[in-house]
Amino acid sequence: MTVIPNDCRWCAFTAMLARSPIRPPHATAANPSNRVEAADVAAGLKLARAKDHPGVRALARASEVGSWQSLLALSVGTLAWGTIARDHRLAAAGRHMLEAGILASVVKTGLKRTVHRTRPNVVMDEGFYARGWPGTSVGPWQSFPSGHSALSAAVACAAARAYPEIKRPAYVAAAGVIAAQVVRGAHFPVDVLAGALIGVVAEAAVDRIAPIPRRADLTRRGCPGAHERPRPASS
């Protein structure tokens, strides 16, 4: 990091602080320890080289639909809407989305508290890369794993399990959020892959513990919202 002499003006010192994220005391500079990590860092920096472009910044803002706040609101809203409308299928989907998202969030938060890793944008702006143990609560050093990727994958898989007919748009939306995290310089490729894996496994675990009612089961019970759309008569 740049050393500011004692006789520099206060404004220069505050400007440096504004640019430099607070570094955890246990974060020390480190080189990638193996070829996989080196390739991951190189790929992340290359893919994020346009992070300051207005188009990429707009993409970054749009990808906030994958934040925990947005996905929590979506899940709770779906559950509430289904409950109020007495649509059992929709309510079950909202519950499943909420549970999968919570489990994915717990796992990714646990990992962030266990390991620390510098985000690509910090490496590019500050020239400082660190990774190791333990984790930290300081955002710029929480690159691994990607929370946006974990929650987006979990909620998308939950929605697709409840409504197979929206599987493609759900997966495409999640993939867009995941890809944006690399392009915006928030995460390295391994970070988003690990996050996506956490989300997929979390959703599968929730479905195994508390299976979402299948449409056929809801139809047999006569639950509203469970019936398939009528098919057009064949000519």
Side-chain angles (χ1 to χ4, degrees), residues 59-74:
L59 178 64
R61 290 192 295 270
S63 72
E64 286 305 302
V65 297
S67 67
W68 71 265
Q69 297 95 328
S70 298
L71 294 177
L72 175 63
L74 175 63

Side-chain angles (χ1 to χ4, degrees), residues 121-198:
N121 52 21
V122 176
V123 179
M124 298 173 76
D125 295 341
E126 302 296 324
F128 185 89
Y129 176 74
R131 50 98 183 93
W133 319 86
T136 175
S137 59
V138 182
W141 312 93
Q142 289 187 318
S143 187
F144 182 86
S146 167
H148 282 61
S149 301
L151 271 69
S152 295
V155 172
C157 289
R161 191 182 295 276
Y163 289 89
E165 59 269 29
I166 67 168
K167 178 183 298 185
R168 182 172 297 178
Y171 289 165
V172 168
V177 171
I178 292 170
Q181 305 315 305
V182 177
V183 177
R184 69 188 291 194
H187 293 283
F188 293 102
V190 166
D191 302 332
V192 298
L193 291 176
L197 180 61
I198 289 171

Side-chain angles (χ1 to χ4, degrees), residues 2 6 26 47 62 72 85 91 94 97 122 128 180 191 205 231:
T2 304
N6 292 331
H26 53 269
L47 292 170
L72 175 63
M97 291 161 60
V122 176
F128 185 89
D191 302 332
R231 298 179 180 177

Side-chain angles (χ1 to χ4, degrees), residues 16 29 33-34 53 73 87 91 94 105 128 148 160 166 198 219:
M16 185 199 76
S33 59
N34 54 65
H53 188 279
D87 186 327
S105 182
F128 185 89
H148 282 61
I166 67 168
I198 289 171
T219 302

Side-chain angles (χ1 to χ4, degrees), residues 17-121:
L17 291 179
R19 293 194 307 271
S20 303
I22 300 174
R23 186 185 304 175
H26 53 269
T28 56
N31 292 321
S33 59
N34 54 65
R35 292 182 179 180
V36 174
E37 184 181 5
D40 181 45
V41 171
L45 298 180
K46 182 177 181 180
L47 292 170
R49 62 185 181 276
K51 65 181 179 65
D52 294 323
H53 188 279
V56 176
R57 290 189 174 184
L59 178 64
R61 290 192 295 270
S63 72
E64 286 305 302
V65 297
S67 67
W68 71 265
Q69 297 95 328
S70 298
L71 294 177
L72 175 63
L74 175 63
S75 302
V76 172
T78 302
L79 174 58
W81 186 7
T83 301
I84 295 171
R86 300 181 64 81
D87 186 327
H88 293 267
R89 184 185 179 198
L90 186 63
R95 174 187 60 78
H96 191 58
M97 291 161 60
L98 182 61
E99 293 171 346
I102 289 175
L103 180 57
S105 182
V106 169
V107 174
K108 68 90 180 174
T109 300
L111 286 173
K112 285 181 181 290
R113 295 291 191 271
T114 303
V115 298
H116 66 266
R117 190 185 196 194
T118 316
R119 293 184 186 271
N121 52 21

